[in-house]
Amino acid sequence: MNLFYTPNLQPNMTEYVLSEEESKHCSRVLRLGVGDKVQLIDGRGGFFEAEISDAAPKKTKLRILNYTSDQDKRSFRIHIAVAPTKNMDRMEWFVEKAVELGIDEISLLQCARSERKNINLDRLEKIAISAMKQSMKSYLPKINELTRYEDFISQRFSQNEHKFIAHLVEGQERFSLAKSITGYGTYTILIGPEGDFSPEEVEQALQAGFKPVTLGSSRLRTETAALAACHTIHVVLDV
């Protein structure tokens, strides 16, 4: 069944009008008409079943038939804080695949060795929405603006949050991420730029309570490391 993103849809609504973009996709691309059934997601865990009551190309109207809350809620949260790559295609690939796997929050870091100074947040959010729909997820992850590394690690985290930094600085003890995952809660993992974190940044993270981890014996690209971290948490906890 066809799926549409409806961020303004509330559980108590009995009718809804699709956005112009989704209306065009519904009526002109998919050629759906009055009486056809569709599925809706609000990006907050809400999953709806609806029926088309008016297939207008710019304002397709729906009648809400059923609502389910917390459709694919997990007992753990994944927050990847990563330095954007110089080639944004690679970062867009990470966002797409991480959403397909299941991720709750993505923060973009401005590190000492970062080569990218700006990002197109709107484009990343559109990619995330598309990936959410494609993978039948009902939660849209939060994507945060580019933030200075020092500001990010100095923020207040919850006491039960699991905090890690994946780095390649020689002479520093590191632990297996897979073996460091213990119990549920929020897992926040720092992934550095293509030149890795500086030794000073690693030390700052350790002082802030982040545990140093390794993602395996291979030297991974930034976007691969970020996705591997996300996948590792799923493998250990998503049972």
Side-chain angles (χ1 to χ4, degrees):
M1 191 177 292
N2 295 292
L3 185 69
F4 297 92
Y5 177 48
T6 53
N8 300 318
L9 181 55
Q10 301 299 322
N12 60 346
M13 289 182 176
T14 58
E15 294 182 335
Y16 188 81
V17 178
L18 292 178
S19 67
E20 184 173 343
E21 181 179 358
E22 290 284 48
S23 292
K24 180 179 179 181
H25 184 67
C26 177
S27 63
R28 290 185 174 172
V29 178
L30 299 176
R31 298 186 180 279
L32 299 178
V34 174
D36 286 333
K37 302 290 196 307
V38 295
Q39 295 175 330
L40 315 171
I41 49 174
D42 60 10
R44 304 182 301 276
F47 186 86
F48 303 78
E49 292 181 353
E51 180 181 271
I52 298 175
S53 57
D54 185 355
K58 293 187 177 181
K59 291 185 177 182
T60 296
K61 296 180 181 180
L62 308 172
R63 182 167 63 88
I64 308 303
L65 304 176
N66 188 39
Y67 165 69
T68 302
S69 62
D70 298 330
Q71 173 71 11
D72 51 9
K73 188 175 183 178
R74 292 178 272 103
S75 53
F76 58 93
R77 294 185 76 257
I78 300 176
H79 181 184
I80 301 294
V82 56
T85 53
K86 184 177 181 180
N87 183 343
M88 273 305 291
D89 287 348
R90 289 160 52 188
M91 191 53 49
E92 291 170 3
W93 175 86
F94 159 68
V95 170
E96 179 184 71
K97 301 310 175 187
V99 173
E100 290 178 12
L101 284 176
I103 191 169
D104 300 281
E105 189 169 0
I106 298 171
S107 290
L108 303 168
L109 303 178
Q110 183 71 55
C111 298
R113 295 172 178 169
S114 292
E115 294 188 68
R116 174 163 287 278
K117 306 298 182 182
N118 53 71
I119 57 168
N120 186 337
L121 193 62
D122 287 341
R123 177 167 172 77
L124 291 181
E125 289 176 344
K126 287 181 180 179
I127 290 170
I129 290 171
S130 178
M132 174 182 64
K133 291 167 61 177
Q134 189 279 329
S135 56
M136 297 293 290
K137 296 282 191 295
S138 58
Y139 284 95
L140 180 66
K142 181 181 180 183
I143 304 180
N144 299 310
E145 288 275 9
L146 194 62
T147 304
R148 291 177 63 250
Y149 175 81
E150 294 82 359
D151 294 337
F152 181 85
I153 65 171
S154 63
Q155 67 180 288
R156 179 172 295 180
F157 295 89
S158 63
Q159 290 186 341
N160 62 346
E161 191 159 346
H162 308 278
K163 301 182 299 182
F164 302 100
I165 178 171
H167 69 84
L168 298 172
V169 176
E170 295 183 2
Q172 293 272 8
E173 182 179 19
R174 293 177 295 156
F175 306 89
S176 164
L177 174 60
K179 294 180 180 179
S180 300
I181 298 171
T182 56
Y184 298 100
T186 296
Y187 284 82
T188 296
I189 305 176
L190 307 179
I191 304 293
E194 285 129 313
D196 198 16
F197 292 113
S198 68
E200 294 76 17
E201 287 173 331
V202 173
E203 183 58 32
Q204 289 172 355
L206 299 183
Q207 291 296 323
F210 285 80
K211 182 177 180 179
V213 293
T214 174
L215 300 171
S217 58
S218 298
R219 187 181 183 92
L220 304 177
R221 289 179 178 271
T222 293
E223 72 280 8
T224 309
L227 189 64
C230 180
H231 180 60
T232 298
I233 297 172
H234 273 285
V235 169
V236 176
L237 295 180
D238 198 6
V239 294

